[in-house]
Amino acid sequence: MLDWLQERLPELIADHAVPGIAVGVWAGGEVYDAAAGVLNTATGVEATTDSIFQIGSVTKVLTATLAMQLVDERKVELDAPVRRYLPRFGRDVTVRQLMCHVAGFEGDIFTDTGPGDDCIERYVDLLDDVPQLFAPGSMFSYNNAAFCVLGRLIEVVRGKQFDECMRDHLFEPLELTHAASNPYEAILHRVAVGHLDGEPVKTWAMARSNAPAGSMLAMRARDLVRFARLQGQVLSAESAAAMQEPQITLPDIGWADAWGLGWELSDLPGGTVIGHDGSTVGQAAFLRVVPERDVAVAILTNGGSPRPVHAELMGRLLQELAGVTFPELPVPDPSARPEHPERYAGRYTSRESITDVRQDADGRLWLEQTPIGVSAEVGDQPHRTELVAWRGDSLLPVEPSGGVYWPVAFVGRDNEGRAEYLHTGRADRRA
């Protein structure tokens, strides 16, 4: 397997314009890793198995683990209101609801409150005016802000800053030697730089205020699979199992089947797979674990189109090592017209975008999305694509994003039979 990885990686990243990659595999009680490409196209520094890459939202699993340690210590109750621990927090949600993306308030909030140790506290204080999209617990909508609230709760209960909690309660006990919570720590390692449109990014990290959601943490692939394999050593058996129990079913958006406490959960032919994906500025990370087979795989990249790379690598590794069949990426049929386009037509909004879905005179359905707010500020571009039928109320774009045709689900019904939400992982409400 290691020989195949080392031979295939250079070809695969070249095909998909990925500058550099690192892969870590835990199987049969051993760790295997491989790397290819470069960390920075401007310098030509080679990617090695000791290189660290940003893991983005995979961080959320580590943040959830920190919270579950507090549950084990009887310092936090999962179904207690967040206000018990953060009296100034102005929403009626529970700790559990933060951890499985059902808190219901808009979650793509990336306000930069500075680099100071009080940045997460200041960030959480700004969430009072964020719209509530739906009643807490009633549906799934991926929520970065909720994990920042969870990170602040951890800070308050522990009495120390989030980075210290990560180091003291995860890095050191699990001997994660190549992990960096900020650029000052990252520079001590061989570190990857993100790339957009083939060029190195000008900003290495996002706002520190979003660190619990995944804006900062960088790790070596070997250390990430070590965390996945040894997570149970820093948790009780009950808490480790609880993190893998389904809390909410997802819409049909090409993600997992359900979400647990931090982990996403997929029931695949051959077994249940838990995991998480992550992305930052020009970097992407993928973690999958098959608990019943004691197999974990981490794939870390720094640009290009990483999704097809992930699909091929993860598909083969999980099949050969764990007997699990990884799903194929969906491909649209351009001739497949939606049966009830009038259900979906309308405007859907969030703080990050305005999306118009329109039916033309021929009955074809078109999606036009315009970035606003922080998304526009960081350079996200408007895009337009036709939507075609796929499965039920989930449609496929005919134009890929990052080499993948991401499903768009239309969820709920208003009094006129129209969809209430456009769902791509985040639920955007009909205007």
Side-chain angles (χ1 to χ4, degrees):
M1 179 56 65
L2 185 59
D3 290 342
W4 173 79
L5 268 178
Q6 291 174 332
E7 292 175 4
R8 180 61 178 140
L9 287 185
E11 302 169 344
L12 194 56
I13 64 174
D15 289 344
H16 298 284
V18 174
I21 187 170
V23 179
V25 179
W26 179 288
E30 300 287 341
V31 177
Y32 307 90
D33 49 16
V38 297
L39 301 178
N40 185 335
T41 56
T43 63
V45 173
E46 182 184 6
T48 68
T49 54
D50 275 340
S51 302
I52 66 172
F53 291 69
Q54 289 184 359
I55 67 169
S57 286
V58 181
T59 303
K60 291 181 174 69
V61 181
L62 284 78
T63 300
T65 303
L66 292 174
M68 294 303 291
Q69 289 176 331
L70 295 174
V71 173
D72 283 339
E73 296 170 23
R74 300 186 183 278
K75 295 177 179 178
V76 168
E77 293 182 18
L78 275 177
D79 294 311
V82 174
R83 285 199 190 101
R84 177 184 296 180
Y85 312 102
L86 302 178
R88 297 205 307 265
F89 186 64
R91 295 181 188 273
D92 186 20
V93 300
T94 67
V95 179
R96 184 189 301 272
Q97 289 167 342
L98 294 179
M99 294 174 69
C100 55
H101 301 284
V102 299
F105 56 89
E106 193 159 323
D108 281 348
I109 311 299
F110 303 110
T111 307
D112 188 347
T113 56
D117 285 351
D118 63 345
C119 62
I120 300 173
E121 177 183 10
R122 294 174 60 199
Y123 172 94
V124 171
D125 286 343
L126 297 176
L127 295 179
D128 284 349
D129 66 342
V130 171
Q132 188 75 25
L133 300 176
F134 51 84
S138 62
M139 65 182 289
F140 171 90
S141 182
Y142 193 82
N143 196 319
N144 287 287
F147 270 79
C148 296
V149 177
L150 188 65
R152 177 57 186 156
L153 183 152
I154 293 165
E155 287 187 330
V156 169
V157 177
R158 286 287 183 206
K160 52 188 173 184
Q161 205 275 331
F162 182 76
D163 291 351
E164 295 179 66
C165 296
M166 189 73 76
R167 181 185 64 244
D168 294 347
H169 298 277
L170 288 182
F171 295 172
E172 291 184 358
L174 296 179
E175 299 180 356
L176 307 180
T177 59
H178 289 61
S181 294
N182 55 59
Y184 305 103
E185 295 176 0
I187 198 65
L188 301 176
H189 300 275
R190 193 180 186 97
V191 59
V193 172
H195 294 74
L196 295 174
D197 298 324
E199 297 295 326
V201 299
K202 303 300 183 184
T203 301
W204 183 78
M206 298 186 292
R208 190 186 183 199
S209 51
N210 276 256
S215 64
M216 286 278 180
L217 185 56
M219 298 180 72
R220 179 174 61 169
R222 171 182 287 261
D223 286 70
L224 185 52
V225 294
R226 180 177 177 84
F227 160 77
R229 174 62 181 84
L230 301 181
Q231 180 195 27
Q233 292 188 4
V234 293
L235 292 175
S236 68
E238 293 77 13
S239 286
M243 290 185 68
Q244 300 178 26
E245 294 173 359
Q247 304 290 317
I248 186 72
T249 301
L250 271 62
D252 194 2
I253 51 175
W255 289 19
D257 297 306
W259 220 274
L261 299 177
W263 289 111
E264 59 178 77
L265 315 173
S266 299
D267 291 324
L268 300 179
T272 297
V273 177
I274 66 174
H276 212 293
D277 297 345
S279 61
T280 59
V281 183
Q283 299 197 51
F286 310 89
L287 176 64
R288 296 292 184 272
V289 185
V290 187
E292 294 179 355
R293 302 299 177 88
D294 196 24
V295 169
V297 178
I299 300 171
L300 310 179
T301 62
N302 65 340
S305 298
R307 289 281 172 181
V309 175
H310 158 248
E312 177 176 328
L313 291 177
M314 201 68 76
R316 175 159 178 173
L317 291 169
L318 291 187
Q319 178 65 53
E320 294 196 6
L321 298 175
V324 171
T325 302
F326 201 63
E328 294 184 2
L329 297 174
V331 178
D333 175 359
S335 66
R337 300 285 177 84
E339 289 188 9
H340 303 285
E342 68 281 357
R343 291 180 182 174
Y344 316 127
R347 169 166 287 188
Y348 303 85
T349 63
S350 71
R351 288 168 66 110
E352 296 300 309
S353 65
I354 296 172
T355 304
D356 289 304
V357 179
R358 298 187 176 95
Q359 181 182 2
D360 68 16
D362 296 326
R364 299 164 70 186
L365 202 63
W366 297 87
L367 178 149
E368 297 181 32
Q369 187 170 81
T370 303
I372 59 176
V374 175
S375 293
E377 293 172 8
V378 300
D380 286 358
Q381 297 297 309
H383 74 272
R384 181 176 186 266
T385 183
E386 184 180 0
L387 296 178
V388 296
W390 184 48
R391 296 195 300 222
D393 287 326
S394 293
L395 312 181
L396 286 180
V398 299
E399 299 293 337
S401 174
V404 177
Y405 300 93
W406 287 111
V408 177
F410 292 86
V411 178
R413 289 284 184 271
D414 64 14
N415 292 334
E416 300 177 17
R418 304 175 305 173
E420 294 181 289
Y421 299 92
L422 181 153
H423 210 304
T424 54
R426 179 188 70 204
D428 289 0
R429 186 166 51 188
R430 180 183 288 274

